[in-house]
Amino acid sequence: MEQRFVAIAAEAAEQLGVFAALASPRPLEVLATKLALPTRRFRALVELLIAGGRLGRTGHEIRIGTLGDRAREGATVIVEVLRRDRALDARDRWSLRVDARALDVGPLLSVGAAASAAETLVPVAGEGVLLDAGGGLGDATRAFLTRVPRARAVVVDVPSVIAAARRHLADLADRITFLAGDLRTMQLPPCRVALISNVLHLHRPEDCSAILANVTSALSSGGMLAVKDVALTSDRVGPLRSLAFGLATQIFSDEGEVYPASQIARWLESCGLAEVSARVLARAPECTLATGIRTTR
């Protein structure tokens, strides 16, 4: 699956003139300026092509790598978004949105990863409350409540998602409170454990910090916060699947990006959490799980 993303990215790079501009190696920022492309979005394209072997890196300079297959479907979307520096949205022509289906990241993520992350909170939870912050349809909440029969949960998301979550979790409605709001600023109810799953990559760094700080403030002393997101090494060279996900994030979002696990751990530490750790999820190697304990209230 990720190799298809590499092939699409290679075709987009060809159309953008990347390979022609690398007759001699250049630093990424210089290359972006030469091609009149936004550095943040262009960086995601280059990182994927380096991990896929289509480009190479020597020190700070980017060079041409090895040839390989190219795929046209989806490449037009990448080219369009990078040239105008605006994410794909409903204002775009129908043909462009159809082409974007080739960049669907769903198959890149393991089924059940959010539920697996929620289960790590069970030993700490007791019969306390789970705050599922950005809980989506509530798969993690369902897994948690199944493991802890006397616990309760609070699912927080935007209004349209909460409406769908109510239907999806209707059989557990007597144990769940549904809240719609902005995770950065809304007043959150007290909880024993909290989960933030696949949320941070949708936001800018300053908003990630605000979300984590707000969720931490809801934790009781001794409570645990778990953050699940797409895995990325500190030097941003892999995994390949995560870099494919990162490029797609740049295509469909004007704010987000995939953050290294080390960055997420630093954010948790800045919130005052103790025993901070980050590891790859055993059931989903493309995902990382960072955790921390609140020691004061």
Side-chain angles (χ1 to χ4, degrees):
M1 178 65 188
E2 51 267 41
Q3 289 296 339
R4 183 173 63 81
F5 269 76
V6 173
I8 295 170
E11 174 62 27
E14 174 65 22
Q15 294 183 25
L16 289 165
V18 173
F19 299 114
L22 286 173
S24 59
R26 301 174 187 271
L28 184 143
E29 292 78 6
V30 173
L31 184 59
T33 299
K34 178 178 176 61
L35 298 173
L37 297 174
T39 300
R40 181 170 67 94
R41 285 193 162 99
F42 183 58
R43 184 184 304 278
L45 176 68
V46 169
E47 287 173 345
L48 175 59
L49 290 172
I50 291 173
R54 306 303 179 88
L55 295 176
R57 178 165 24 211
T58 303
H60 295 293
E61 292 192 323
I62 309 301
R63 55 178 171 75
I64 294 176
T66 59
L67 298 177
D69 294 337
R70 293 178 185 167
R72 296 187 64 85
E73 187 179 8
T76 301
V77 179
I78 298 174
V79 171
E80 180 77 11
V81 168
L82 263 67
R83 282 180 172 164
R84 72 189 185 190
D85 195 17
R86 176 174 68 78
L88 186 74
D89 61 31
R91 293 172 289 176
D92 288 301
R93 62 185 185 274
W94 180 81
S95 60
L96 200 63
R97 286 183 278 131
V98 169
D99 198 42
R101 294 175 185 173
L103 301 173
D104 177 20
V105 297
L108 294 173
L109 298 177
S110 299
V111 175
S116 179
E119 289 174 359
T120 66
L121 296 168
V122 169
V124 180
E127 296 180 0
V129 174
L130 164 70
L131 174 62
D132 193 353
L137 293 180
D139 290 340
T141 289
R142 180 178 295 280
F144 177 83
L145 293 180
T146 299
R147 289 286 304 277
V148 192
R150 299 183 66 177
R152 293 186 54 82
V154 178
V155 178
V156 182
D157 217 306
V158 298
S160 59
V161 175
I162 285 296
R166 286 182 182 275
R167 295 190 295 270
H168 189 66
L169 297 170
D171 58 312
L172 294 169
D174 60 331
R175 299 173 61 194
I176 302 173
T177 300
F178 297 93
L179 296 177
D182 188 332
L183 282 173
R184 298 170 300 178
T185 57
M186 68 184 293
Q187 181 71 40
L188 295 169
C191 61
R192 176 62 179 175
V193 290
L195 174 67
I196 302 175
S197 178
N198 287 349
V199 171
L200 297 189
H201 67 253
L202 301 174
H203 297 278
R204 295 187 176 97
E206 58 270 26
D207 291 328
C208 293
S209 295
I211 290 169
L212 290 167
N214 197 29
V215 172
T216 295
S217 70
L219 280 175
S220 62
S221 180
M224 175 180 283
L225 170 59
V227 181
K228 172 197 162 290
D229 220 299
V230 180
L232 186 63
T233 59
S234 297
D235 53 5
R236 305 184 70 91
V237 298
L240 182 61
R241 181 171 293 192
S242 299
L243 294 169
F245 190 96
L247 175 59
T249 299
Q250 296 299 323
I251 301 307
F252 297 107
S253 169
D254 281 320
E255 297 187 354
E257 64 179 287
V258 174
Y259 300 103
S262 57
Q263 174 62 71
I264 296 173
R266 286 194 295 272
W267 281 327
L268 294 182
E269 289 170 347
S270 72
C271 291
L273 296 177
E275 301 178 36
V276 172
S277 66
R279 60 180 174 82
V280 171
L281 267 176
R283 298 185 198 173
E286 78 282 3
C287 295
T288 189
L289 182 70
T291 60
I293 302 292
R294 186 171 190 187
T295 57
T296 60
R297 176 66 178 160

